[in-house]
Amino acid sequence: MSRRYLQFFNAFKRAAKKSRFGIGYLGVLFVLALTCNSLANEWPLLAAKNGQLFLPAFHQSLSDMGLIKSVNYPRLEFFQAPDFRLLIKAPIPYSPSTMDERNSRSVSPFAKQDVSSLCERHWLGTDELGHDVLALLIHGARLALLVGLGSMSIAGFLGILLGALAGYFGDERMRLSRARLLMICLAFGVGFFFAFNSRYFILLDAWRDSMLSFLLQACISIGLFLIIYYVFYRGANWLEKVSFFNKRFALPLDALILRLIEVLLALPMLFLILAIVAIAKPSLGLVVVIIGFTSWTGIARLVRAEMLRIRSMPYMEASQALGFSPGYSLWRHALPNAMGPVFVALAFGFANAILIESGLSFLGLGVPPEVLTWGALLAEARQSASSWWLAIVPGLAIFCTVMACNSLAERFAKRPDSSSAN
Amino acid sequence: MQRYLLKRLLIFFPSLVLVTLLCFWLAASAPGDAAQQAIGIGEDQQSSNSSLAEYLALRKKMGLDLPLFYFSISNAALPDTLYRIPDSKEREAMERMCETTGLPEAVALYRHKLSMWRSEALENVNAAPLDKINELALEGDVNRSKRILDGLAADTCAWAKQAVVLRALLPLKSTQPYLHFLPVLRWHGLNNQYHRWLAQIATGDLGVSYQDQRPVAGLLIEALKRTLLLCGSALLISLLIAVPLGIYTAVHAGSRIDRGISGVLFFLHAIPNFWLASMLIVFFCGGDYLDVFPAFGWSSLDADASLWSRVWDAAWHLLLPVLCLMYAGLAYLARQVRGSMLAVLPAEFIQTARAKGLSEHAVVWRHAFRNSLLPLITIIAGMLPMVISGSFVIECLFSIPGVGKLTYEAVLARNFPVVYGSVLLVASFTIVAMLLADLLYAWADPRISFSSQQKGGADE
């Protein structure tokens, strides 16, 4: 990482200092997301019996991830026996899937609860089936952050790449030889064919088999694509020796990317998601990917606008005069100075992604019913109108997350312009 | 101006074509097809020969046996008439067999014999094992197919001979395994499904709803009217509140009132509208708490009630939905107005206006606001997709029979013509609105049409 990117983190620290609420809330959310399995779990954290030590919660989360198989592991009832020498329970002894039969049918947080000790109290009440709302809330934090981070990494990558290309090269600066354009087009066609079309059934079988094998096969395909692309790219050098192919022209990169953005902007995102959700199997990953692929336009436009400003700065001219390649100047000098608006857009996008996802799960679309996100929890409140805690708690969680992201973005946008100091 | 208009229109059509392509592609990859829905059979195997024949005839009539697009790019191992197989799982099995063996003709012959055997089985259940044949039809692996056929051939039944014949047709050895590495471009001509679909849409025909067999276009137009009324009134109200609010906060920038209003707006912007809506329904629409507003529907009065009472009733029904729909837009708009006013207020012509001795009111409204008005046009056009998407959830919650609710119910019922019709309609509506906004912008700001560098206000 260049030191210029570090400068961006300093600016981030300054913004964080000004928005204590934003950074504090998001920090708590991150901690909750990382530790939710040890915070709210029906399996005890640590248990000792007859000289044997168990880590049931840890074991359970590993086997949930598919890393180990729990065939001979003791069942949950085993740990509920009273004769343990050491038994440390999670602070909230309920998993999101635990159904407390004694406290089912929506028990209010203030009502008298049928629990044996204060540790087992449902601090935020239960829902219709006896799920602990606090446990659902804590595990929902992980899902919410996954949605935000996942979709924003896709949107950030696409938006920064396309926005920087559009803004930096504009309509005139990307000068290509005919050979180069031809070869790039060919490389995309041929690369796509060999990497994805010819391997279609290999990829399909891997997808049906498991996520891990699919990722492996996808990596092989992408590697193959890159190799083919590289070969064609080198081939262009050779083809350029022919005078017809050596003729250069300006690729209107800016216009092309702007048109793409315009088309995407015209599509109401929710309707697009619906159109895809209608035919696909519900999955959280799919929703994240769709949100990512449709929300990069705002980031791209911001980066583009910032690039238009930066490219006329004296330091960019200096970098050009020193003979650095456009790619190097872009990565080393232009992009670090455009990071501020990107961060602002990413933070707004993060909040928006969580909003869209919870809206979808609220309506019961796109996300499978067993994935209990905040929106799904909120949807339960629709069925039982009198249990106000089911509506207030997840709603407040969503609202505060959105507020925190927005306030962080807002503070960051107001930072003193550091680019003039360089 | 004319050149700009032309340029803008030239950009407009590719967007529209892209939207139709997207909708068509999604509709084509939906499970089941219109012919199946029309005669009411599921995605699974057909039950009898007559219904199969009826289904195939209907498919032909609806043009579903045509290629999807003008051309297709595939590998040489796949036969060029693959699209004629109606069932997607069977198509996949055949593709798989072709790719692994590289013998499309042999596979086609095998599958042809298999389908003949199936029609025999459908006619007389005792003549052939129907479940085994169906299993074979979905089996793409040659060796596994052979194993099934081996088992059938070993039976001491009438069909053993048939199984032996079929087994002999199975292309076991792959003589051209390289074939699926050869790309092939196939040209299908104008007689394809997309072309037909587009021609149909051009005449305003969006297909028939699977549920009640009503034309989709009629359903959508009816729903769009309500959605437009809902969104339009929400947008109008938020504009009416946001503009004075934005101007006031900009003029008094930095004061305590400005900070207070900005804080409240910031707060409003973060409230999820579906949350607020469900809270309002819980607390104000019957239930255990207050019963002030009607929770559901559009209007509860009949057509013979007087016009005024009908309007009043509709407004009463719409009050909460419009409130839920407008506050986020209101916060966003007020902030934009404030921002663009703040950009204009320090300008020299404002100082001049003040120096001339104009009243503060005239300076703010006639000089500053009129100049900050331009970006608002694009901002409002840009808000359209947001408002329409927002209305989706609100319509579902308040049971307003608009486009959003129609689409939601269609998605749940897997009523694909309605889903894709509404996506197409909403997207093209938004594109047209954005085009109009751009033209309006160009008309209002003469600088746009003369400059060749900037391509309209939407770029900023």
Side-chain angles (χ1 to χ4, degrees):
Chain A
M1 265 305 185
S2 103
R3 262 168 67 193
R4 287 172 192 279
Y5 286 95
L6 270 181
Q7 217 172 41
F8 161 74
F9 285 110
N10 287 337
F12 175 74
K13 263 196 249 166
R14 274 203 300 277
K17 238 178 228 168
K18 275 193 196 153
S19 169
R20 288 247 169 80
F21 163 72
I23 199 74
Y25 181 85
L26 287 179
V28 169
L29 216 59
F30 263 97
V31 173
L32 283 183
L34 286 177
T35 60
C36 65
N37 270 338
S38 47
L39 275 178
N41 207 329
E42 57 185 346
W43 296 79
L45 300 179
L46 192 72
K49 189 180 193 177
N50 304 336
Q52 256 187 313
L53 194 68
F54 298 97
L55 289 168
F58 185 61
H59 187 274
Q60 198 58 27
S61 53
L62 282 187
S63 75
D64 279 350
M65 278 187 272
L67 294 177
I68 48 173
K69 288 201 171 73
S70 58
V71 184
N72 290 323
Y73 206 72
R75 319 227 350 170
L76 186 60
E77 290 79 29
F78 174 75
F79 295 105
Q80 281 161 350
D83 57 339
F84 276 90
R85 267 184 68 196
L86 178 71
L87 187 72
I88 300 179
K89 282 191 173 178
I92 299 142
Y94 301 103
S95 292
S97 55
T98 319
M99 283 186 254
D100 186 357
E101 283 127 17
R102 290 184 298 170
N103 291 302
S104 62
R105 304 208 152 267
S106 309
V107 179
S108 161
F110 303 125
K112 202 167 166 348
Q113 294 178 355
D114 184 13
V115 286
S116 48
S117 74
L118 205 59
C119 292
E120 286 180 13
R121 197 179 161 78
H122 300 280
W123 295 105
L124 291 178
T126 61
D127 70 355
E128 195 65 36
L129 294 170
H131 293 122
D132 185 63
V133 175
L134 185 56
L136 286 173
L137 192 73
I138 290 173
H139 283 264
R142 173 184 278 185
L143 293 173
L145 285 188
L146 268 179
V147 168
L149 288 179
S151 58
M152 278 310 109
S153 44
I154 296 173
F157 175 76
L158 282 174
I160 294 173
L161 182 74
L162 294 176
L165 286 178
Y168 186 78
F169 289 106
D171 279 346
E172 281 91 26
R173 285 206 195 170
M174 183 67 131
R175 296 195 66 81
L176 288 173
S177 63
R178 285 174 178 172
R180 187 75 63 197
L181 184 72
L182 183 74
M183 281 310 208
I184 287 176
C185 289
L186 270 179
F188 266 93
V190 173
F192 192 82
F193 179 80
F194 282 117
F196 297 103
N197 189 323
S198 292
R199 303 187 79 242
Y200 174 71
F201 281 108
I202 299 176
L203 288 167
L204 189 72
D205 287 342
W207 172 256
R208 284 176 188 164
D209 181 33
S210 75
M211 200 65 205
L212 206 69
S213 60
F214 176 71
L215 282 180
L216 182 76
Q217 293 298 340
C219 284
I220 294 176
S221 276
I222 290 169
L224 201 65
F225 180 82
L226 290 179
I227 292 170
I228 293 168
Y229 187 84
Y230 181 74
V231 168
F232 273 90
Y233 197 80
R234 300 301 298 212
N237 294 345
W238 170 77
L239 197 64
E240 268 172 5
K241 285 174 187 146
V242 184
S243 66
F244 171 76
F245 285 115
N246 198 16
K247 198 145 188 200
R248 280 168 188 276
F249 68 100
L251 187 70
L253 213 53
D254 194 26
L256 287 176
I257 291 175
L258 277 178
R259 291 298 84 78
L260 184 65
I261 291 176
E262 243 166 68
V263 174
L264 268 181
L265 273 184
L267 286 173
M269 202 207 289
L270 216 60
F271 278 78
L272 188 67
I273 293 176
L274 274 181
I276 297 172
V277 156
I279 54 169
K281 218 175 79 188
S283 98
L284 191 65
L286 183 72
V287 171
V288 169
V289 168
I290 303 172
I291 295 175
F293 273 98
T294 44
S295 57
W296 57 269
T297 50
I299 300 169
R301 294 215 298 185
L302 272 171
V303 176
R304 175 182 169 272
E306 197 68 357
M307 279 293 164
L308 286 178
R309 185 181 67 81
I310 287 171
R311 76 174 186 191
S312 58
M313 290 269 169
Y315 61 80
M316 289 312 293
E317 274 173 43
S319 156
Q320 217 174 358
L322 283 168
F324 291 139
S325 74
Y328 182 86
S329 330
L330 185 62
W331 170 250
R332 189 69 206 273
H333 298 291
L335 215 50
N337 289 307
M339 283 309 276
V342 174
F343 175 77
V344 174
L346 280 179
F348 278 127
F350 188 93
N352 212 22
I354 291 178
L355 268 182
I356 291 171
E357 183 276 324
S358 47
L360 281 175
S361 359
F362 181 68
L363 293 174
L365 295 171
V367 183
E370 68 272 9
V371 177
L372 286 165
T373 60
W374 289 340
L377 197 54
L378 202 54
E380 281 188 39
R382 269 174 88 193
Q383 268 102 53
S384 44
S386 57
S387 31
W388 52 266
W389 58 96
L390 281 178
I392 299 232
V393 171
L396 265 183
I398 299 169
F399 169 66
C400 289
T401 314
V402 174
M403 270 283 276
C405 291
N406 286 358
S407 83
L408 207 61
E410 192 93 332
R411 296 291 172 187
F412 200 90
K414 271 187 198 155
R415 86 198 153 115
D417 199 357
S418 61
S419 55
S420 54
N422 294 316
Chain B
M1 187 67 196
Q2 270 175 355
R3 264 190 68 188
Y4 177 76
L5 205 85
L6 200 70
K7 211 166 163 183
R8 203 65 199 74
L9 279 173
L10 279 180
I11 299 161
F12 164 72
F13 283 108
S15 318
L16 214 56
V17 168
L18 260 174
V19 167
T20 61
L21 270 177
L22 190 77
C23 279
F24 175 73
W25 176 66
L26 284 169
S29 39
D33 59 30
Q36 273 179 352
Q37 291 286 341
I39 52 177
I41 48 173
E43 168 83 352
D44 46 350
Q45 300 299 327
Q46 284 76 38
S47 48
S48 72
N49 255 347
S50 57
S51 76
L52 185 68
E54 188 193 355
Y55 165 62
L56 289 178
L58 195 62
R59 249 177 83 82
K60 202 171 176 95
K61 198 180 140 212
M62 287 175 145
L64 294 171
D65 60 339
L66 295 173
L68 277 182
F69 201 56
Y70 298 100
F71 61 88
S72 65
I73 298 171
S74 67
N75 55 56
L78 299 181
D80 57 346
T81 51
L82 198 65
Y83 55 83
R84 286 190 192 150
I85 300 176
D87 188 73
S88 61
K89 281 183 198 140
E90 279 182 37
R91 200 162 35 208
E92 192 199 308
M94 180 161 178
E95 267 179 61
R96 196 185 283 266
M97 209 177 255
C98 287
E99 283 205 6
T100 45
T101 58
L103 291 165
E105 294 88 5
V107 174
L109 190 64
Y110 163 76
R111 308 248 0 156
H112 180 65
K113 267 272 169 341
L114 189 65
S115 70
M116 276 169 64
W117 201 20
R118 171 159 49 189
S119 61
E120 223 172 89
L122 284 171
E123 235 159 61
N124 182 3
V125 190
N126 297 325
L130 188 59
D131 51 334
K132 285 282 178 195
I133 292 173
N134 284 337
E135 197 186 330
L136 274 173
L138 296 179
E139 183 56 68
D141 189 82
V142 184
N143 292 322
R144 253 179 278 164
S145 306
K146 184 174 175 286
R147 229 168 291 146
I148 299 172
L149 283 171
D150 279 343
L152 287 177
D155 283 354
T156 50
C157 295
W159 56 65
K161 223 197 272 171
Q162 279 272 27
V164 174
V165 172
L166 207 58
R167 191 176 56 183
L169 282 175
L170 203 60
L172 284 173
K173 261 186 249 153
S174 57
T175 46
Q176 296 165 298
Y178 53 85
L179 215 55
H180 74 284
F181 289 115
L182 294 180
V184 178
L185 179 96
R186 292 194 176 97
W187 180 255
H188 297 302
L190 289 182
N191 196 15
N192 60 55
Q193 286 191 41
Y194 176 69
H195 194 82
R196 278 192 168 201
W197 183 75
L198 214 58
Q200 229 181 20
I201 283 178
T203 59
D205 181 9
L206 284 171
V208 181
S209 163
Y210 285 167
Q211 265 172 327
D212 47 8
Q213 307 299 325
R214 284 169 65 193
V216 174
L219 282 175
L220 279 173
I221 295 289
E222 203 178 309
L224 189 68
K225 275 186 209 155
R226 301 191 179 121
T227 300
L228 281 185
L229 181 65
L230 183 69
C231 294
S233 46
L235 208 57
L236 192 71
I237 293 173
S238 57
L239 201 63
L240 284 179
I241 303 176
V243 167
L245 215 59
I247 290 175
Y248 185 85
T249 48
V251 171
H252 300 271
S255 71
R256 203 176 286 170
I257 298 176
D258 168 41
R259 267 181 290 160
I261 291 178
S262 297
V264 170
L265 290 181
F266 190 71
F267 204 70
L268 278 182
H269 193 65
I271 301 176
N273 62 359
F274 53 91
W275 183 43
L276 184 75
S278 57
M279 300 278 267
L280 286 176
I281 291 178
V282 168
F283 287 115
F284 289 109
C285 303
D288 295 358
Y289 305 96
L290 294 172
D291 190 2
V292 184
F293 292 101
F296 302 112
W298 175 248
S299 172
S300 45
L301 292 184
D302 300 328
D304 53 320
S306 75
L307 181 73
W308 176 242
S309 63
R310 266 167 61 204
V311 168
W312 177 246
D313 189 59
W316 196 235
H317 275 87
L318 277 182
L319 191 71
L320 286 187
V322 167
L323 181 76
C324 291
L325 203 52
M326 71 160 223
Y327 71 90
L330 165 82
Y332 176 73
L333 261 178
R335 285 162 66 86
Q336 297 291 336
V337 172
R338 182 176 179 270
S340 64
M341 276 297 278
L342 280 179
V344 171
L345 279 175
E348 279 173 3
F349 65 86
I350 300 293
Q351 279 182 12
T352 314
R354 285 223 172 87
K356 278 198 301 190
L358 288 178
S359 70
E360 190 62 24
H361 185 266
V363 170
V364 168
W365 283 94
R366 286 233 301 272
H367 291 253
F369 178 60
R370 278 179 73 169
N371 277 290
S372 69
L373 199 61
L374 277 177
L376 268 186
I377 298 173
T378 352
I379 288 168
I380 293 170
M383 274 174 69
L384 264 180
M386 197 177 87
V387 174
I388 291 180
S389 288
S391 78
F392 180 83
V393 186
I394 299 300
E395 279 175 17
C396 293
L397 273 174
F398 287 96
S399 298
I400 293 168
V403 179
K405 186 157 179 285
L406 189 70
T407 317
Y408 176 68
E409 281 168 356
V411 168
L412 290 186
R414 303 173 82 69
N415 190 352
F416 298 113
V418 176
V419 176
Y420 298 108
S422 81
V423 173
L424 187 68
L425 184 77
V426 170
S428 27
F429 175 75
T430 324
I431 294 179
V432 172
M434 281 167 123
L435 172 76
L436 285 179
D438 265 14
L439 295 182
L440 197 66
Y441 195 96
W443 171 75
D445 187 353
R447 284 171 301 182
I448 300 290
S449 45
F450 290 119
S451 75
S452 56
Q453 288 294 309
Q454 283 317 104
K455 289 182 196 71
D459 296 3
E460 253 64 55

